[in-house]
């Protein structure tokens, strides 16, 4: 796909992502959907209102009425779409820096669109095929005030409130200035937790920390956990569809470890889990121990969702899926990544034992990620050619489902272009940090050399 990547389409506002572009996507979506009413929601970014206005105008211009939700976590918008059987456009750039924004498209079944549906809408955008309405048939919009409140109520009904409340937990919460600040504090308090917060005002400038909940951005949360003697810290990304954790000691929990712990609590023999090609050996081990099958996909929510739906159609049970960045699906609850729900499922485990003990069996691996930026297609092509040559030169089993994954038996490396940013990412995992770093740097050096040879 030319327009849509691993999780919608994103770009720097004014430089690749413009109101005109969003309007065209909305016109194409409204044309393909052939619906009387659709939904427009956004995260808390400063450009969100402008771009949601463009999306609303595009839908109205093809005769579609619009429910406008305003600032809303992506899982809240997805819930509303599914409950009302109305497709949705969500304006969000998730974890990207504040100058970015983007577009996610959600079907009337409350599931982000899969590859085939996105390709159809993309073809309408590229070919200017829009069902423009006559002047007296354009759509109208209305403001919906209840979506976030109803989302929290659904969450409360979906988790084990009694066990969480009985544990008398203190939760340190960092919504990262995203729309999770509008819902997660209330949700965790309603679960019976004492909640202390940092970065808990919705602000698209992200004044307290960048929107991606990686370890280097969560120092304030780690300090808050220690200061408040909290049982766990929970952090969201820019649209609250991810949850990343800090244990009771104030130590960051790798997303790969929390995914493994959550999967171990869900998987039974004969089940299937779905993960992206950068899956940690931790999840491989959990699936082997449970007698479950692990299916790999290209990186990104769109690809994982598509594979889950295929497995469901084949009669397979998929109780959990996701990536080691905190983006986890519980398909039997709802086929969406939901940071608040994932946070509550982790609290169900913490209600029985400390967070550090929950993840202790899954801490024997170290992960490294290196990002290499590019400024042109020539630079991207040079790095990908170098990645191919590197993969052919080493003694490892390759997997080319998405980039180049090289399995060494005791470790692995993955080189692939980002689906959301102009970067090539190099991932590595090994039993110790030095080996993981060495493997990642070996691959990254080949890519750096290729860039240097261009100039």
């Amino acid at each position: 796909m030319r327009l849509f990547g691993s999780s919608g389409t994103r770009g720097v506002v004014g430089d690749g992502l413009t109101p005109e572009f969003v309007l065209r996507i909305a016109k194409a979506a409204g044309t393909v959907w052939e619906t009387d009413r659709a939904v427009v929601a956004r995260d808390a970014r400063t450009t969100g209102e402008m771009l949601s206005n463009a999306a609303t105008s595009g839908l109205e211009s093809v005769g579609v009425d619009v429910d406008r939700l305003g600032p809303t976590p992506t899982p809240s918008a997805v819930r509303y779409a599914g409950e009302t059987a109305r497709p949705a456009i969500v304006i969000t750039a998730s974890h990207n820096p504040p100058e970015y924004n983007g577009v996610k498209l959600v079907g009337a079944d409350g599931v982000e669109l899969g590859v085939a549906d996105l390709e159809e809408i993309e073809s309408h955008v590229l070919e200017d095929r829009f069902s423009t309405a006559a002047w007296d048939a354009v759509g109208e919009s209305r403001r919906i005030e209840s979506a976030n409140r109803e989302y929290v109520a659904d969450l409360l009904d979906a988790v084990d409130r009694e066990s969480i409340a009985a544990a008398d937990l203190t939760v340190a919460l960092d919504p990262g200035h995203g729309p999770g600040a509008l819902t997660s504090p209330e949700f965790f308090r309603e679960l019976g937790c004492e909640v202390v917060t940092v970065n808990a005002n919705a602000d698209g400038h992200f004044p307290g920390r960048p929107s991606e909940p990686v370890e280097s951005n969560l120092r304030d949360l780690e300090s808050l956990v220690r200061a408040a003697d909290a049982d766990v810290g929970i952090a969201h990304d820019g649209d609250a569809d991810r949850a990343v954790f800090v244990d009771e000691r104030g130590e960051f929990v790798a997303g790969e470890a929390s995914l493994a712990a959550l999967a171990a609590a869900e998987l039974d023999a004969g089940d299937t889990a779905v993960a992206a090609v950068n899956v940690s050996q931790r999840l491989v081990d959990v699936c082997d121990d449970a007698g479950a099958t692990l299916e790999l996909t290209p990186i990104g929510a769109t690809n994982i969702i598509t594979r889950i739906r295929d497995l469901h159609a084949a009669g397979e049970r998929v109780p959990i899926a996701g990536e080691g960045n905190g983006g986890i699906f519980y398909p039997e609850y709802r086929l969406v990544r939901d940071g608040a729900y994932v946070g509550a499922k982790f609290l169900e485990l913490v209600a029985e034992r400390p967070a550090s003990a929950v993840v202790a069996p899954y801490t024997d691996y170290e992960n490294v990620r290196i990002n290499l930026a590019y400024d042109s297609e020539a630079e991207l092509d040079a790095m990908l050619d170098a990645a191919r040559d590197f993969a052919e030169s080493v003694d490892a089993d390759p997997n080319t489902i998405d980039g180049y994954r090289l399995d060494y038996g005791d470790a692995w490396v993955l080189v692939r272009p980002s689906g959301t940013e102009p970067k090539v990412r190099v991932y590595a995992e090994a039993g110790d940090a030095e080996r993981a770093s060495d493997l990642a740097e070996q691959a990254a050096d080949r890519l750096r050399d290729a860039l240097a040879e261009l100039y």
Side-chain angles (χ1 to χ4, degrees), residues 10-333:
R10 297 179 199 165
V12 176
V13 177
D15 182 15
L17 190 81
T18 64
E20 293 82 3
F21 177 61
V22 173
L23 182 139
R24 287 166 56 81
I25 291 175
K27 290 174 68 174
T31 298
V32 170
W33 285 333
E34 296 182 344
T35 184
D36 294 329
R37 183 173 290 277
V39 180
V40 172
R42 63 182 176 90
D43 65 19
R45 292 169 186 268
T46 59
T47 56
E49 184 173 6
M50 174 185 72
L51 296 178
S52 64
N53 287 342
T56 299
S57 295
L59 289 169
E60 290 176 342
S61 74
V62 295
V64 178
D65 293 331
V66 179
D67 288 353
R68 302 193 63 164
L69 307 189
T72 312
T74 290
S76 175
V78 169
R79 186 214 68 86
Y80 183 88
E83 291 295 318
T84 61
R86 295 166 187 156
I89 296 175
V90 183
I91 304 298
T92 179
S94 186
H95 66 274
N96 289 100
E99 64 269 24
Y100 280 76
N101 217 320
V103 181
K104 287 184 180 182
L105 300 177
V106 179
D109 57 353
V111 180
E112 288 183 43
L113 297 188
V115 174
D117 292 325
L118 289 174
E119 287 177 341
E120 183 179 6
I121 291 172
E122 181 173 288
S123 71
H124 280 257
V125 175
L126 297 175
E127 298 167 14
D128 289 328
R129 287 188 287 131
F130 309 126
S131 300
T132 304
W135 68 270
D136 57 350
V138 298
E140 298 178 347
S141 65
R142 64 183 182 183
R143 177 82 170 116
I144 303 297
E145 304 288 350
S146 60
N148 285 343
R149 183 171 63 251
E150 293 168 355
Y151 163 65
V152 170
D154 270 11
L155 286 171
L156 291 168
D157 288 340
V159 300
D160 188 351
R161 297 175 67 177
E162 291 186 3
S163 68
I164 294 171
D168 193 26
L169 301 173
T170 297
V171 173
L173 177 66
D174 181 353
H177 298 296
L182 307 175
T183 53
S184 285
E186 176 188 355
F187 169 54
F188 290 114
R189 289 186 177 110
E190 288 292 327
L191 286 176
C193 302
E194 179 180 348
V195 179
V196 292
T197 63
V198 63
N199 304 318
N201 60 314
D203 186 336
H205 294 93
F206 303 110
R209 70 161 170 90
S211 57
E212 187 167 17
V214 295
E215 182 175 7
S216 59
N217 293 336
L218 299 181
R219 302 307 183 199
D220 288 344
L221 179 60
E222 293 172 346
S223 296
L224 180 60
V225 168
R226 290 189 289 267
D229 195 24
D231 295 284
V232 67
I234 301 174
H236 295 320
D237 62 334
D239 66 337
D241 69 349
R242 289 160 58 182
V244 172
F245 303 100
V246 171
D247 71 19
E248 77 283 0
R249 301 168 301 186
E251 296 182 5
F252 179 78
V253 174
E256 295 85 2
S258 55
L259 172 57
L262 291 164
E266 297 293 325
L267 290 169
D268 293 318
D271 289 343
T272 300
V274 179
V277 69
N278 62 340
V279 63
S280 169
Q281 187 66 30
R282 299 166 173 90
L283 185 58
V284 176
D285 294 344
V286 166
C287 290
D288 288 346
D289 290 344
T293 300
L294 178 60
E295 293 270 346
L296 298 186
T297 75
I299 289 175
T302 298
N303 299 307
I304 292 174
I305 288 170
T306 299
R307 187 63 186 138
I308 292 171
R309 300 187 87 166
D310 290 344
L311 290 165
H312 281 170
E316 298 288 332
R317 179 174 182 261
V318 185
I320 195 165
E323 299 175 278
N325 61 4
I328 300 175
F329 295 86
Y330 284 82
E332 294 175 331
Y333 164 59

